[in-house]
Amino acid sequence: MTRHLLRDDDLTPAEQAEILDLALELKADRWKEKPLAGPQTVAVIFDKSSTRTRVSFAVGIADLGGSPLIISTANSQLGGKETPSDTARVLERQVAAIVWRTYAQAGLEEMAKDTRVPVVNALSDDFHPCQLLADLLTIREHKGELKGLTLAFFGDGLSNMAHSYALAGVTAGMHVRIASPEDYAPRADVVADADRRAAETGGSLTLYTDPNEAAAGADIIVTDTWVSMGKEEEKTARLRDLGSYKVTQETMALAQEDAVFIHCLPADRGYEVDADVIDGPQSVVWDEAENRLHAQKALLVWLLRQQ
Ligand code: CP
Ligand code: NVA
């Protein structure tokens, strides 16, 4: 049966762990798996800007023996004249998988419905599950077992990253804390889904408005831009509303002594995080960025095995 990764909880806890194990194997032996030998093509479509996602999918697909076809929606029919469903039915006759960075989650769902090839969410307004696989891999490398660790996210709790930390974190059995103003708290349906998953794994999701309470004793400190792609018009309000959620040395001092700092990047130093944190000794953001490659290769290998 064709499997897709549209949101983090599309993977069961066991499947998530299997993909992370495979990612570690592929990191140790980069050219071990060639499921795309031929080469078969993978379509990688962008409605929004990208550096890491574009490079890591292009490199990863080539590492797996395949050929990446990078498509910008600005010069394709998708998004203007053609529906996601019709686009998918054209692509599936020629490509082994479809990777798509877009705005509405509904477009990804439409593309995946009845499509014979795996569809991967490379970031939507609601979730960024590929980033979370890389983040969990990075945390595993630096902290060992994920289960039982406390991860605290600061800032825009309604963002794709906060939603993905909620779902993927509890899937891994972690205790996820999201600190945001009330108006930026995660969506209620995502919280309910995370709570359901947490009940299976022993993890938890807790929402905070006080950033200091969220930071206390955390193993992983996380933030993301206050102005996600598509929210540029709200920039002034967001800088005002989210200002007290900046990650600083004071935040790090409240966390565990050996806490790590992660950020999906790109970062706005001086806004969501101070330079001395992201460029400091507890930051593992460059490992995290590299791990996009290994995690996404593992994901593609795993999805192609389910075909
Ligand atoms: N973290 C991330 O997805 O980066 P890009 O926007 O550069 O792809
Ligand atoms: N929340 C950010 C993540 C960028 C990788 C955005 O959507 O712009």
Side-chain angles (χ1 to χ4, degrees), residues 48 101 123 128 159-161 224-225 227-229 264-266:
K48 293 176 175 171
R101 167 167 288 194
L123 180 148
H128 196 0
S159 66
N160 42 22
M161 287 306 301
D224 181 24
T225 180
V227 190
S228 285
M229 291 179 276
C264 67
L265 306 175

Side-chain angles (χ1 to χ4, degrees), residues 49-54 101 128 131 229 264-266 292:
S49 303
S50 168
T51 297
R52 277 143 291 271
T53 307
R54 190 184 303 259
R101 167 167 288 194
H128 196 0
Q131 181 70 51
M229 291 179 276
C264 67
L265 306 175
R292 293 293 302 277

Side-chain angles (χ1 to χ4, degrees), residues 110-163:
E110 182 185 329
M111 191 173 277
K113 193 173 167 294
D114 304 326
T115 304
R116 288 176 297 182
V117 297
V119 175
V120 174
N121 177 358
L123 180 148
S124 66
D125 290 342
D126 293 347
F127 304 103
H128 196 0
C130 291
Q131 181 70 51
L132 258 289
L133 289 173
D135 288 12
L136 294 180
L137 183 64
T138 309
I139 296 165
R140 230 173 101 164
E141 287 178 321
H142 285 273
K143 296 250 150 243
E145 204 188 346
L146 298 173
K147 193 173 170 60
L149 292 174
T150 296
L151 178 148
F153 175 95
F154 299 84
D156 181 3
L158 262 175
S159 66
N160 42 22
M161 287 306 301
H163 284 165

Side-chain angles (χ1 to χ4, degrees), residues 232-246:
E232 292 79 2
E233 284 178 8
E234 298 174 16
K235 182 170 178 176
T236 307
R238 286 172 165 269
L239 299 193
R240 180 195 63 219
D241 297 343
L242 297 170
S244 53
Y245 294 84
K246 178 195 289 196

Side-chain angles (χ1 to χ4, degrees), residues 63-75:
D63 283 6
L64 298 176
S67 174
L69 174 61
I70 308 287
I71 301 170
S72 165
T73 23
N75 49 27

